[in-house]
Amino acid sequence: MDSDTIGLGLPLNQTLGRNLTHGMLDTLGKAIVVGRYETRPFPTEAEIAKAFGVSRSVTREAVKMLTAKGLVSARPRQGTVVQPSSQWNLFDTDVLRWLLDRKFSVQLLRQFNQLRIAIEPEAAALAALHHTPMELEAIREGLHRMERADAGDGDALDADIAFHVAVLRASGNPFYAQFQQMVATALRTSIRFTNRIKGRTASIADHAAVADAIAARDVTVSRAAMQRIIGDVLGLIGDTED
């Protein structure tokens, strides 16, 4: 039995890596998200184990992880079946990464930034109220990294992400802080796309306005400054078609 037999079309012995369970999870997760099982049944654990050349226990653990992410479910007398995309956990960073890798979609990018504009401005407002000196220093460091990257020293994308993650953490709200991995994952696609449209990196002045307002504990300006950053992104995306 090979990868084509179970719908993967991949050289399995080159895909798993050193961690068999996570390698299998990544391979199967991608296959589900790209639609390889839209017209064919999901393979049984025995079929997967044989195709990958691994034990049933490794296979079972990977399928459990897919189930936890909402991609598959086990049903009596039906075995493991792929769930409709409406059941997938979009806040899971693996699922989001697979979606973004599947096929670039302006619509998905727009939807993600619509979520951002509902969250990050409020996180900035809360950061203005609740930030600690250490958290403010992390925001400032993110901004400094952006400035250094703009001068050719460092990665502009990583610096931009570090800034936004630092603001989420400084909100003092653990629910906002939980978005940091999702934001970091999706921003990698969002920032690359918008920077390519603009022909430049993110506006350091706009990010500095957020940092300064948070430092001044100005809730209104912090919120508005972050809204301006994400609103600019949505404006760019709005002018683009899939």
Side-chain angles (χ1 to χ4, degrees):
M1 181 175 294
D2 58 21
S3 65
D4 285 327
T5 303
I6 61 172
L8 295 172
L10 297 169
L12 297 181
N13 60 347
Q14 298 177 25
T15 62
L16 294 185
R18 298 178 68 178
N19 188 312
L20 294 179
T21 301
H22 285 86
M24 185 184 298
L25 170 71
D26 194 60
T27 302
L28 291 171
K30 286 179 181 176
I32 291 170
V33 170
V34 301
R36 290 189 180 274
Y37 299 109
E38 288 180 352
T39 58
R40 65 190 304 167
F42 191 75
T44 66
E45 289 184 4
E47 290 172 333
I48 296 171
K50 185 175 181 180
F52 278 93
V54 298
S55 69
R56 290 283 293 275
S57 62
V58 171
T59 301
R60 191 171 298 114
E61 184 62 27
V63 172
K64 284 181 180 178
M65 295 168 75
L66 290 172
T67 302
K69 296 174 187 296
L71 270 66
V72 300
S73 65
R75 299 177 182 175
R77 295 185 297 277
Q78 293 184 19
T80 302
V81 298
V82 174
Q83 291 282 74
S85 58
S86 60
Q87 299 299 311
W88 300 350
N89 180 6
L90 301 183
F91 292 104
D92 184 285
T93 55
D94 285 332
V95 175
L96 183 58
R97 176 169 54 82
W98 295 328
L99 282 167
L100 291 170
D101 288 345
R102 175 181 63 184
K103 172 184 178 293
F104 179 76
S105 167
V106 172
Q107 180 182 8
L108 182 62
L109 200 58
R110 183 182 299 113
Q111 291 168 341
F112 164 65
N113 281 285
Q114 288 168 344
L115 177 64
R116 286 185 65 201
I117 206 165
I119 293 171
E120 292 192 65
E122 292 307 312
L126 287 171
L129 286 174
H130 302 300
H131 71 263
T132 65
M134 187 176 296
E135 288 166 342
L136 179 61
E137 178 58 30
I139 294 171
R140 289 292 194 194
E141 175 57 25
L143 182 63
H144 293 158
R145 285 179 61 184
M146 292 179 68
E147 292 169 343
R148 292 194 297 269
D150 193 54
D153 178 19
D155 187 288
L157 176 58
D158 286 342
D160 200 347
I161 290 171
F163 178 89
H164 286 276
V165 167
V167 172
L168 287 168
R169 289 175 175 168
S171 69
N173 185 314
F175 292 98
Y176 282 135
Q178 285 289 314
F179 279 101
Q180 61 186 344
Q181 291 301 322
M182 184 202 69
V183 167
T185 299
L187 271 177
R188 293 194 177 278
T189 297
S190 179
I191 292 173
R192 286 193 185 101
F193 176 72
T194 54
N195 287 355
R196 187 166 66 247
I197 294 174
K198 294 186 293 185
R200 59 177 173 80
T201 54
S203 169
I204 293 174
D206 286 348
H207 286 71
V210 174
D212 289 344
I214 290 174
R217 298 196 181 274
D218 191 320
V219 172
T220 301
V221 175
S222 296
R223 181 185 292 113
M226 186 64 83
Q227 284 175 333
R228 184 162 55 249
I229 291 173
I230 305 173
D232 179 52
V233 173
L234 281 168
L236 290 168
I237 295 171
D239 295 331
T240 307
E241 298 296 332
D242 271 309

